[in-house]
Amino acid sequence: GRARHRERDRDRGRERDPGSGPARPEPSLLRFLVCPLSKRPLRYEEATNELINEELGIAYPIVDGIPNMVPEAARMTQKKPPAEDSEQP
């Protein structure tokens, strides 16, 4: 009855082509996402399906259309991060 009806309504808003490759995030949501580390806006990179933080040189993966913004999941995009953390002994 009612649960099936709700499911149908939920699925109607999604137009997902099975052959369209990786699920892309909702563009309207990307505007509101910021890096959890720097709190700066992220750039969506369609080629790699990632959210890029140019400043820190890291990229967050997008899995099934959902950004994985856990710092541990991010990969480095630069060989060396900016000279900010040069306080190592």
Side-chain angles (χ1 to χ4, degrees):
R2 198 174 243 164
R4 199 178 307 141
H5 187 308
R6 215 176 310 146
E7 221 171 287
R8 195 177 62 226
D9 285 348
R10 190 189 64 213
D11 292 340
R12 192 179 294 148
R14 278 191 207 143
E15 71 269 346
R16 194 159 155 206
D17 204 321
S20 65
R24 294 174 50 191
E26 191 60 52
S28 57
L29 294 178
L30 291 179
R31 286 188 304 220
F32 301 108
L33 295 179
V34 295
C35 177
L37 299 173
S38 69
K39 308 290 186 267
R40 307 282 294 238
L42 295 161
R43 176 178 63 78
Y44 175 59
E45 180 56 64
E46 198 169 353
T48 56
N49 200 35
E50 292 174 320
L51 291 174
I52 312 289
N53 179 330
E54 307 280 1
E55 197 182 9
L56 296 179
I58 54 177
Y60 295 99
I62 297 171
V63 184
D64 291 332
I66 301 163
N68 182 352
M69 293 169 63
V70 179
E72 289 77 27
R75 73 173 178 86
M76 300 301 291
T77 59
Q78 301 171 337
K79 289 147 211 63
K80 229 173 135 229
E84 233 171 26
D85 39 318
S86 55
E87 304 146 53
Q88 284 142 359

